[in-house]
Amino acid sequence: MSTIYDVANVKGFIRMCNDGWLQGWHERNGGNLTYRMTDDEVAEAKPFFEEPREWVKMGVRGENLAGQYFVSTGSGKYMRNVLEDPHANIGIVEINETGDAFRVVWGLANGARPTSEFESHYMNHCVAAARTDGADRVIYHAHTPGIIEMSFVVPLEDRAFTRILWQMMTECVVVFPTGVGVVPWMVPGGPAIAEASSELMKTYDTIVWAHHGLFAAGPDFDTTFGLAHTVEKAAEIYLAARAANGGSDDFLNKISDKGLKDTCRDFGIKINEAFVD
Ligand code: 2HA
Ligand code: ZN
């Protein structure tokens, strides 16, 4: 282990930041990513840790992930710059033993802080980890244009939003069989949006932030990026199909509810029954 970048998921984290940039989801400082490290990764990374900074109190508390370490993008930092200079644009933070404060132990050079959405990320990590028995480790927020556009023209309701996305591409229902939750427009970066999202995170791994973007959780970078990519692609297909249909979403052909249910049956996946007729 010659640098901290040889820790597999530190490398994977940097790659995912760049993947999102290449998709066009991270204008300026838009979007953020956090990853909860395993104990082995913490042990591998520790020799490279720097003098810990002071503890910073959060507006939220989550006891089940107290004492854990997270890789986080930096507040005001650009995804575009992560690959070129990780040490300045991302960092590792430790959560205190009561689960209500963090301190920077590596990176985020020159006094930078973790993402302005860190409280949202932390609370949602707590909920997602509890829902998945500790499997979920990644939370990703991206300014995905298709989802933002869709949030102007469809009802901001979990069921309506989910059904449209499922119907756009055959494998959507397989990738997110529980559906997506929808948070109405809210001020970003505070405890209120953290609270609203974490309430939905008890059920969903994908949350739409109306007029803002996507908020997604998963066990690893491939799954979480793939989830965001699939949801966003479905949104783009909806918008293009609707435009091609003169602005209406009364399409000539579509995937039936029976088709959605049959797909899940054959893939051995449990569909959210409340969202199909
Ligand atoms: O990091 O995307 O929601 C900037 C944001 C806040
Ligand atoms: Zn944002």
Side-chain angles (χ1 to χ4, degrees), residues 26-27 29-32 73-77 115-117 141-143 188-189 193 209 212:
H26 300 293
E27 79 292 339
N29 64 320
N32 27 73
T73 49
S75 180
K77 300 300 182 186
T115 167
S116 59
E117 302 286 4
H141 166 52
H143 292 180
I193 198 166
W209 284 357
H212 187 160

Side-chain angles (χ1 to χ4, degrees), residues 9 30-31 51 82 90 92 113 115-116 139 143 189 198 232 241 258:
N9 280 314
E51 188 62 35
V82 170
I90 69 171
I92 296 177
R113 292 164 66 107
T115 167
S116 59
I139 300 267
H143 292 180
S198 61
E232 170 60 9
K258 181 175 182 309

Side-chain angles (χ1 to χ4, degrees), residues 47-163:
F48 306 101
F49 283 2
E50 297 151 352
E51 188 62 35
R53 295 195 210 149
E54 71 291 354
W55 290 105
V56 179
K57 195 92 168 157
M58 297 188 283
V60 300
R61 173 200 287 265
E63 280 156 19
N64 62 323
L65 299 183
Q68 303 249 341
Y69 290 78
F70 291 84
V71 188
S72 175
T73 49
S75 180
K77 300 300 182 186
Y78 294 23
M79 289 284 190
R80 175 172 170 254
N81 295 333
V82 170
L83 185 61
E84 182 127 324
D85 189 357
H87 188 252
N89 293 288
I90 69 171
I92 296 177
V93 300
E94 176 186 4
I95 303 295
N96 69 348
E97 288 306 320
T98 40
D100 61 358
F102 66 79
R103 65 177 178 180
V104 176
V105 297
W106 176 84
L108 294 169
N110 304 314
R113 292 164 66 107
T115 167
S116 59
E117 302 286 4
F118 191 77
E119 292 177 349
S120 275
H121 280 244
Y122 181 67
M123 269 202 93
N124 281 277
H125 273 289
C126 289
V127 173
R131 172 169 50 71
T132 62
D133 232 348
D136 272 11
R137 294 186 170 275
V138 181
I139 300 267
Y140 181 43
H141 166 52
H143 292 180
T144 45
I147 281 294
I148 297 171
E149 291 159 18
M150 233 181 106
S151 70
F152 288 98
V153 296
V154 308
L156 299 176
E157 295 160 6
D158 304 355
R159 189 177 196 273
F161 227 96
T162 298
R163 287 177 57 79

Side-chain angles (χ1 to χ4, degrees), residues 153-205:
V153 296
V154 308
L156 299 176
E157 295 160 6
D158 304 355
R159 189 177 196 273
F161 227 96
T162 298
R163 287 177 57 79
I164 290 171
L165 293 169
W166 279 352
Q167 287 165 354
M168 287 307 113
M169 200 163 57
T170 298
E171 289 180 21
C172 282
V173 73
V174 177
V175 177
F176 48 101
T178 312
V180 302
V182 182
V183 169
W185 184 87
M186 292 181 86
V187 175
I193 198 166
E195 203 79 55
S197 306
S198 61
E199 202 45 46
L200 290 173
M201 187 59 72
K202 290 176 184 164
T203 308
Y204 308 103
D205 54 15

